[in-house]
Amino acid sequence: MPTFIGLDLAWTAHRESGICWLQGESAADLRCTRLEAAVCNPRRLADELAAVEGPLVVTIDAPLLYTPERWAEREVARRFGRYKASAHSAHAAVRRGYTAGIDLGRALMERGFTADPAPLLRGEPGRFAVEIYPHTVHVRLFGLSERLPYKPRPHRSVAFRQAVMQEYQEHLRALMEREARGVLRDPRVRQALAPRMAATATGAGLKRLDDTLDGLTCALSAWLLWKEPDRWETLGDLNGYIVAPRET
């Protein structure tokens, strides 16, 4: 049975990452087997992923492949800047020593994973690890005119972020009802999508919900990449890329 894993990977190994595992072959039987925010060591996480049997797609929100010639973020800015959905610079992250995604990507390739998205987008079977950026997924699959501003910023109040997080929950629920309704049977998913979770979360709890929802977004993206690869495209190249939904 194929497995679809989403990782909203913290750029440093001592912070929590959003983690979601899905398994199944159809929208009806797809189920969630893990959903949490937890601290992850890249090499131990790679061992855990390598132990999963069968076809596997892992989607990771963090720089995965990197050389100094990486230009993926420039292309994301060109395509999605009008939606205020530009991506953080991988070059700046590397200069600051934030390499958890690169370390994980290297460890997965050592364990037989393919980091090149081209075979996956051709519908070929395999074990893949690919980089995505949740804001591009939200813009395209939620049909947004502007990205959801749920990330913490000095000028954003807790009440504002709670309201946006509830909007995020609503969009995710609608996406699952269309594309992955079996996932909604899981009590952890229902709890993560419960409006009261966002309405009452503050501080670390709000950050944990943010990570959890992003992990769920990543896992749903892995499922949709496998199910309908022609709906996706690669921005960048093997110096570093981001896979995003195509504009329809």
Side-chain angles (χ1 to χ4, degrees):
M1 180 178 294
T3 302
F4 310 97
I5 297 175
L7 301 173
D8 176 36
L9 194 68
W11 285 19
T12 57
H14 65 279
R15 295 181 179 175
E16 288 187 338
S17 298
I19 304 168
C20 182
W21 294 40
L22 307 177
Q23 285 187 315
E25 297 186 358
S26 71
D29 70 21
L30 192 69
R31 56 192 174 90
C32 179
T33 59
R34 180 177 177 184
L35 181 62
E36 64 177 331
V39 174
C40 300
N41 174 278
R43 297 199 71 83
R44 286 199 294 270
L45 180 57
D47 286 338
E48 188 176 7
L49 298 177
V52 176
E53 297 181 355
L56 176 57
V57 181
V58 184
T59 47
I60 302 163
D61 176 20
L64 186 62
L65 296 184
Y66 178 82
T67 78
E69 286 72 45
R70 179 178 168 116
W71 52 275
E73 287 77 17
R74 293 201 305 273
E75 185 62 14
V76 170
R78 189 181 75 81
R79 302 278 192 97
F80 292 89
R82 66 181 182 273
Y83 303 101
K84 300 182 180 180
S86 299
H88 295 294
S89 167
H91 300 301
V94 168
R95 286 195 297 270
R96 297 173 65 186
Y98 296 159
T99 62
I102 299 166
D103 296 339
L104 177 60
R106 186 178 300 115
L108 288 173
M109 286 185 283
E110 290 171 356
R111 290 157 177 78
F113 283 75
T114 301
D116 180 354
L120 176 61
L121 296 183
R122 291 195 296 266
E124 297 178 12
R127 294 166 68 81
F128 299 96
V130 300
E131 181 181 344
I132 68 166
Y133 181 46
H135 284 302
T136 67
V137 176
H138 299 161
V139 166
R140 292 283 189 250
L141 299 189
F142 296 170
L144 303 179
S145 59
E146 186 176 306
R147 84 183 191 296
L148 295 170
Y150 56 91
K151 297 295 183 181
R153 297 291 184 271
H155 63 283
R156 291 176 186 160
S157 68
V158 170
F160 175 84
R161 291 183 61 214
Q162 289 170 335
V164 178
M165 202 75 75
Q166 287 179 296
E167 185 179 353
Y168 189 179
Q169 291 172 317
E170 291 170 3
H171 282 297
L172 270 179
R173 178 179 290 277
L175 177 64
M176 280 184 273
E177 287 174 346
R178 294 195 310 271
E179 305 280 5
R181 58 188 179 276
V183 178
L184 288 168
R185 293 195 296 265
D186 188 272
R188 292 163 297 190
V189 173
R190 293 199 300 271
Q191 182 180 27
L193 297 180
R196 68 179 183 279
M197 288 291 292
T200 60
T202 60
L206 194 56
K207 176 64 169 65
R208 191 165 293 117
L209 180 60
D210 169 341
D211 293 338
T212 301
L213 296 182
D214 280 354
L216 185 51
T217 292
C218 291
L220 289 168
S221 298
W223 155 247
L224 293 172
L225 272 163
W226 181 81
K227 177 174 171 275
E228 297 181 303
D230 57 343
R231 292 173 61 182
W232 299 76
E233 62 182 333
T234 301
L235 308 181
D237 56 26
L238 294 184
N239 291 298
Y241 65 83
I242 291 170
V243 173
R246 293 183 182 275
E247 186 171 15
T248 58

